Amino acid sequence: PKPAPKLPPNVIARIGNQDLSREEVLAMFDLFGGQPIVDQMIQATLIEQEAKRQGVSVTEAELAGAIKETKERIVQQQMMSG
């Protein structure tokens, strides 16, 4: 497959010939109550900072395994919900 074309700085994605701008994504984020996402990002950042402070690290294999497990769990949840 050929590489995706480079998008302008303010474009998050291109669907066919239509661009999805950063502003549009942020507007939808605000419309649908983005605060839980912001809270999750803050929590993840705090956890990352504390892990660094304590010298905790993760190998690439551990990370790949966790990503695989998470994907499998999401697929199972989607199958169970319909």
Side-chain angles (χ1 to χ4, degrees):
K2 66 180 184 177
K6 183 154 176 65
L7 299 174
N10 197 36
V11 174
I12 303 263
R14 182 168 285 147
I15 305 96
N17 293 327
Q18 184 175 349
D19 289 347
L20 183 60
S21 74
R22 182 176 185 274
E23 287 78 19
E24 291 171 306
V25 171
L26 290 174
M28 292 301 285
F29 180 81
D30 287 341
L31 181 65
F32 290 104
Q35 191 59 44
I37 294 169
V38 172
D39 292 343
Q40 287 178 346
M41 293 173 72
I42 290 169
Q43 184 177 12
T45 301
L46 289 170
I47 290 169
E48 184 178 321
Q49 289 173 353
E50 182 62 16
K52 284 180 183 177
R53 188 183 74 74
Q54 292 189 21
V56 176
S57 63
V58 178
T59 67
E60 288 293 323
E62 290 171 324
L63 181 59
I67 291 170
K68 181 181 177 192
E69 288 174 15
T70 301
K71 285 180 180 179
E72 290 170 356
R73 188 170 49 248
I74 291 170
V75 168
Q76 288 175 350
Q77 288 172 348
Q78 289 176 342
M79 291 174 60
M80 289 174 50
S81 66

